[in-house]
Amino acid sequence: MLEKRKELSQPVLEAFWSWVEETSGKYTANESLKKALQYSRNQKKYLNTFMEDGRLPISNNECEACIRPFATGRKSWLFADTPEGAKASGIIYSLVESAKLNHLDTFRYLSYLLEKMPEIDYQYQNDPNILDPYLPWSSELPESCRIQKKKK
């Protein structure tokens, strides 16, 4: 993997750094470009890190996509003005993220829970194991809750 990366990415990277150095040496009135070039030069060591290990991702898009819900949720959390509201938000958030991790259709899974939970009423307080079939990793969940794989 590293060999292939070096073969394909190294020439592009070298051309980019050559362009950065060449463009940085020229006069430009464009302040945004100046800032971007200076940032690139200051971060060169870190921007080249993916060339050291073939297992490292070339971009951090996947990581950013994973933390986006937390960043967007921050503003919503301001409206949980009571400890009970914050706890309820945390429970829902945990269910949604766990459903995603377990390849569930979040909307269908939550709909299923809202349909089925009244049937078990408060019995789970005496026996928490009653909830096991409803947890996101349960194999007992109906197929309708699972993300349907597209057929080729």
Side-chain angles (χ1 to χ4, degrees), residues 3 7 14-15 25-26 37 41 44 51 56 68 77 97 103-104 110 114 116 121 146 148 150:
E3 293 80 25
E7 176 189 331
E14 287 172 6
K26 295 179 181 176
L37 292 169
R41 292 173 76 197
K44 183 175 181 177
M51 294 298 293
L56 295 175
R68 186 173 296 116
W77 299 332
E97 291 303 312
H103 311 289
L104 298 178
L110 292 177
L114 292 171
K116 294 296 181 181
D121 203 19
R146 304 194 185 286
Q148 304 302 316
K150 294 179 182 177

Side-chain angles (χ1 to χ4, degrees), residues 3-71:
E3 293 80 25
K4 196 71 165 168
R5 183 174 287 182
K6 284 185 177 182
E7 176 189 331
L8 299 173
S9 296
Q10 192 68 42
V12 175
L13 201 53
E14 287 172 6
F16 171 73
W17 290 121
S18 175
W19 175 83
V20 167
E21 291 304 319
E22 182 183 325
T23 308
S24 294
K26 295 179 181 176
Y27 171 78
T28 179
N30 185 333
E31 286 299 317
S32 296
L33 179 59
K34 284 182 191 177
K35 284 182 181 179
L37 292 169
Q38 189 58 46
Y39 176 83
S40 295
R41 292 173 76 197
N42 291 343
Q43 302 299 315
K44 183 175 181 177
K45 172 182 157 187
Y46 306 108
L47 294 170
N48 285 338
T49 302
F50 80 100
M51 294 298 293
E52 297 170 9
D53 187 336
R55 296 171 297 174
L56 295 175
I58 291 175
S59 81
N60 68 343
N61 289 348
E62 189 176 348
C63 294
E64 288 187 10
C66 289
I67 65 170
R68 186 173 296 116
F70 292 102

